mmCIF file of all heavy atoms in Angstrom:
data_model
loop_
_atom_site.group_PDB
_atom_site.id
_atom_site.type_symbol
_atom_site.label_atom_id
_atom_site.label_comp_id
_atom_site.label_asym_id
_atom_site.label_seq_id
_atom_site.Cartn_x
_atom_site.Cartn_y
_atom_site.Cartn_z
ATOM 1 N N PRO A 8 15.952 6.472 10.998
ATOM 2 C CA PRO A 8 17.181 7.259 11.084
ATOM 3 C C PRO A 8 18.211 6.581 11.977
ATOM 4 O O PRO A 8 17.871 5.969 12.991
ATOM 5 C CB PRO A 8 16.711 8.593 11.677
ATOM 6 C CG PRO A 8 15.424 8.270 12.380
ATOM 7 C CD PRO A 8 14.799 7.176 11.576
ATOM 8 N N LYS A 9 19.463 6.718 11.600
ATOM 9 C CA LYS A 9 20.558 6.056 12.306
ATOM 10 C C LYS A 9 20.624 6.479 13.772
ATOM 11 O O LYS A 9 20.534 7.657 14.101
ATOM 12 C CB LYS A 9 21.874 6.376 11.607
ATOM 13 C CG LYS A 9 23.080 5.677 12.212
ATOM 14 C CD LYS A 9 24.342 6.007 11.428
ATOM 15 C CE LYS A 9 25.554 5.310 12.037
ATOM 16 N NZ LYS A 9 26.797 5.621 11.283
ATOM 17 N N GLY A 10 20.786 5.481 14.640
ATOM 18 C CA GLY A 10 20.999 5.745 16.060
ATOM 19 C C GLY A 10 19.760 6.101 16.845
ATOM 20 O O GLY A 10 19.850 6.413 18.036
ATOM 21 N N LYS A 11 18.597 6.052 16.213
ATOM 22 C CA LYS A 11 17.371 6.499 16.876
ATOM 23 C C LYS A 11 16.438 5.360 17.291
ATOM 24 O O LYS A 11 15.618 5.545 18.189
ATOM 25 C CB LYS A 11 16.595 7.442 15.948
ATOM 26 C CG LYS A 11 17.346 8.690 15.544
ATOM 27 C CD LYS A 11 17.452 9.666 16.701
ATOM 28 C CE LYS A 11 18.071 10.975 16.248
ATOM 29 N NZ LYS A 11 18.094 11.981 17.331
ATOM 30 N N GLY A 12 16.538 4.235 16.617
ATOM 31 C CA GLY A 12 15.584 3.160 16.880
ATOM 32 C C GLY A 12 16.254 1.830 17.110
ATOM 33 O O GLY A 12 17.482 1.718 17.140
ATOM 34 N N LEU A 13 15.427 0.824 17.265
ATOM 35 C CA LEU A 13 15.885 -0.554 17.399
ATOM 36 C C LEU A 13 15.340 -1.330 16.213
ATOM 37 O O LEU A 13 14.124 -1.450 16.048
ATOM 38 C CB LEU A 13 15.383 -1.165 18.714
ATOM 39 C CG LEU A 13 15.630 -2.656 18.910
ATOM 40 C CD1 LEU A 13 17.119 -2.976 18.924
ATOM 41 C CD2 LEU A 13 14.962 -3.133 20.191
ATOM 42 N N TYR A 14 16.224 -1.833 15.366
ATOM 43 C CA TYR A 14 15.814 -2.525 14.149
ATOM 44 C C TYR A 14 16.480 -3.899 14.112
ATOM 45 O O TYR A 14 17.713 -3.990 14.184
ATOM 46 C CB TYR A 14 16.210 -1.718 12.906
ATOM 47 C CG TYR A 14 15.913 -0.239 13.044
ATOM 48 C CD1 TYR A 14 16.948 0.687 13.179
ATOM 49 C CD2 TYR A 14 14.601 0.224 13.058
ATOM 50 C CE1 TYR A 14 16.674 2.036 13.323
ATOM 51 C CE2 TYR A 14 14.322 1.568 13.205
ATOM 52 C CZ TYR A 14 15.364 2.475 13.338
ATOM 53 O OH TYR A 14 15.094 3.810 13.485
ATOM 54 N N LEU A 15 15.695 -4.934 13.994
ATOM 55 C CA LEU A 15 16.279 -6.274 13.981
ATOM 56 C C LEU A 15 15.416 -7.230 13.172
ATOM 57 O O LEU A 15 14.233 -6.998 12.957
ATOM 58 C CB LEU A 15 16.471 -6.805 15.402
ATOM 59 C CG LEU A 15 15.248 -6.930 16.319
ATOM 60 C CD1 LEU A 15 14.533 -8.263 16.099
ATOM 61 C CD2 LEU A 15 15.664 -6.795 17.775
ATOM 62 N N THR A 16 16.042 -8.287 12.710
ATOM 63 C CA THR A 16 15.353 -9.356 12.001
ATOM 64 C C THR A 16 15.686 -10.677 12.675
ATOM 65 O O THR A 16 16.849 -10.955 12.972
ATOM 66 C CB THR A 16 15.779 -9.414 10.524
ATOM 67 O OG1 THR A 16 15.458 -8.175 9.897
ATOM 68 C CG2 THR A 16 15.057 -10.538 9.793
ATOM 69 N N VAL A 17 14.661 -11.464 12.916
ATOM 70 C CA VAL A 17 14.833 -12.779 13.526
ATOM 71 C C VAL A 17 14.427 -13.837 12.506
ATOM 72 O O VAL A 17 13.363 -13.737 11.883
ATOM 73 C CB VAL A 17 13.972 -12.908 14.798
ATOM 74 C CG1 VAL A 17 14.083 -14.310 15.386
ATOM 75 C CG2 VAL A 17 14.409 -11.878 15.834
ATOM 76 N N LEU A 18 15.283 -14.832 12.318
ATOM 77 C CA LEU A 18 15.002 -15.929 11.396
ATOM 78 C C LEU A 18 14.638 -17.177 12.192
ATOM 79 O O LEU A 18 15.423 -17.644 13.011
ATOM 80 C CB LEU A 18 16.226 -16.207 10.523
ATOM 81 C CG LEU A 18 16.094 -17.349 9.510
ATOM 82 C CD1 LEU A 18 15.029 -17.033 8.474
ATOM 83 C CD2 LEU A 18 17.436 -17.627 8.837
ATOM 84 N N LEU A 19 13.435 -17.679 11.967
ATOM 85 C CA LEU A 19 12.940 -18.865 12.666
ATOM 86 C C LEU A 19 12.809 -20.020 11.675
ATOM 87 O O LEU A 19 12.438 -19.808 10.519
ATOM 88 C CB LEU A 19 11.582 -18.579 13.313
ATOM 89 C CG LEU A 19 11.519 -17.347 14.221
ATOM 90 C CD1 LEU A 19 10.083 -17.109 14.693
ATOM 91 C CD2 LEU A 19 12.451 -17.514 15.415
ATOM 92 N N ARG A 20 13.099 -21.227 12.139
ATOM 93 C CA ARG A 20 13.007 -22.416 11.283
ATOM 94 C C ARG A 20 12.072 -23.445 11.931
ATOM 95 O O ARG A 20 12.506 -24.513 12.358
ATOM 96 C CB ARG A 20 14.382 -23.019 11.045
ATOM 97 C CG ARG A 20 15.371 -22.063 10.379
ATOM 98 C CD ARG A 20 16.718 -22.726 10.174
ATOM 99 N NE ARG A 20 17.721 -21.816 9.671
ATOM 100 C CZ ARG A 20 17.903 -21.535 8.379
ATOM 101 N NH1 ARG A 20 17.132 -22.117 7.482
ATOM 102 N NH2 ARG A 20 18.848 -20.704 7.998
ATOM 103 N N PRO A 21 10.801 -23.127 12.033
ATOM 104 C CA PRO A 21 9.878 -24.019 12.734
ATOM 105 C C PRO A 21 9.465 -25.215 11.881
ATOM 106 O O PRO A 21 9.346 -25.119 10.662
ATOM 107 C CB PRO A 21 8.662 -23.121 12.991
ATOM 108 C CG PRO A 21 8.694 -22.159 11.841
ATOM 109 C CD PRO A 21 10.152 -21.915 11.525
ATOM 110 N N GLN A 22 9.257 -26.329 12.528
ATOM 111 C CA GLN A 22 8.727 -27.514 11.860
ATOM 112 C C GLN A 22 7.220 -27.570 12.106
ATOM 113 O O GLN A 22 6.704 -28.438 12.803
ATOM 114 C CB GLN A 22 9.433 -28.769 12.401
ATOM 115 C CG GLN A 22 10.929 -28.761 12.229
ATOM 116 C CD GLN A 22 11.340 -28.690 10.762
ATOM 117 O OE1 GLN A 22 10.846 -29.438 9.919
ATOM 118 N NE2 GLN A 22 12.247 -27.768 10.447
ATOM 119 N N LEU A 23 6.525 -26.614 11.512
ATOM 120 C CA LEU A 23 5.093 -26.479 11.715
ATOM 121 C C LEU A 23 4.417 -26.206 10.382
ATOM 122 O O LEU A 23 5.032 -25.658 9.467
ATOM 123 C CB LEU A 23 4.794 -25.308 12.673
ATOM 124 C CG LEU A 23 5.279 -25.433 14.123
ATOM 125 C CD1 LEU A 23 5.089 -24.105 14.837
ATOM 126 C CD2 LEU A 23 4.533 -26.535 14.847
ATOM 127 N N PRO A 24 3.140 -26.559 10.248
ATOM 128 C CA PRO A 24 2.415 -26.250 9.008
ATOM 129 C C PRO A 24 2.233 -24.750 8.848
ATOM 130 O O PRO A 24 2.172 -24.009 9.844
ATOM 131 C CB PRO A 24 1.070 -26.969 9.195
ATOM 132 C CG PRO A 24 0.918 -27.141 10.673
ATOM 133 C CD PRO A 24 2.299 -27.311 11.208
ATOM 134 N N PRO A 25 2.135 -24.264 7.612
ATOM 135 C CA PRO A 25 2.036 -22.825 7.356
ATOM 136 C C PRO A 25 0.887 -22.141 8.089
ATOM 137 O O PRO A 25 1.019 -20.996 8.528
ATOM 138 C CB PRO A 25 1.846 -22.753 5.834
ATOM 139 C CG PRO A 25 2.480 -23.993 5.313
ATOM 140 C CD PRO A 25 2.228 -25.042 6.361
ATOM 141 N N GLU A 26 -0.257 -22.830 8.246
ATOM 142 C CA GLU A 26 -1.386 -22.186 8.914
ATOM 143 C C GLU A 26 -1.087 -21.888 10.382
ATOM 144 O O GLU A 26 -1.637 -20.945 10.956
ATOM 145 C CB GLU A 26 -2.649 -23.041 8.795
ATOM 146 C CG GLU A 26 -2.543 -24.422 9.380
ATOM 147 C CD GLU A 26 -2.062 -25.461 8.385
ATOM 148 O OE1 GLU A 26 -1.457 -25.074 7.363
ATOM 149 O OE2 GLU A 26 -2.288 -26.661 8.633
ATOM 150 N N ARG A 27 -0.217 -22.673 11.006
ATOM 151 C CA ARG A 27 0.185 -22.390 12.386
ATOM 152 C C ARG A 27 1.161 -21.222 12.435
ATOM 153 O O ARG A 27 1.142 -20.412 13.370
ATOM 154 C CB ARG A 27 0.844 -23.634 12.996
ATOM 155 C CG ARG A 27 -0.072 -24.804 13.267
ATOM 156 C CD ARG A 27 -0.657 -24.790 14.657
ATOM 157 N NE ARG A 27 0.356 -24.737 15.692
ATOM 158 C CZ ARG A 27 1.052 -25.800 16.144
ATOM 159 N NH1 ARG A 27 0.835 -26.994 15.609
ATOM 160 N NH2 ARG A 27 1.942 -25.673 17.111
ATOM 161 N N LEU A 28 2.001 -21.113 11.429
ATOM 162 C CA LEU A 28 3.022 -20.068 11.423
ATOM 163 C C LEU A 28 2.419 -18.678 11.332
ATOM 164 O O LEU A 28 3.016 -17.708 11.799
ATOM 165 C CB LEU A 28 3.986 -20.294 10.248
ATOM 166 C CG LEU A 28 4.797 -21.594 10.284
ATOM 167 C CD1 LEU A 28 5.705 -21.680 9.073
ATOM 168 C CD2 LEU A 28 5.611 -21.693 11.561
#
Side-chain angles (χ1 to χ4, degrees):
K9 183 178 180 180
K11 300 287 186 176
L13 172 62
Y14 316 109
L15 59 86
T16 300
V17 176
L18 179 64
L19 307 175
R20 301 180 186 274
Q22 302 299 311
L23 295 171
E26 59 270 20
R27 290 269 304 279
L28 297 180

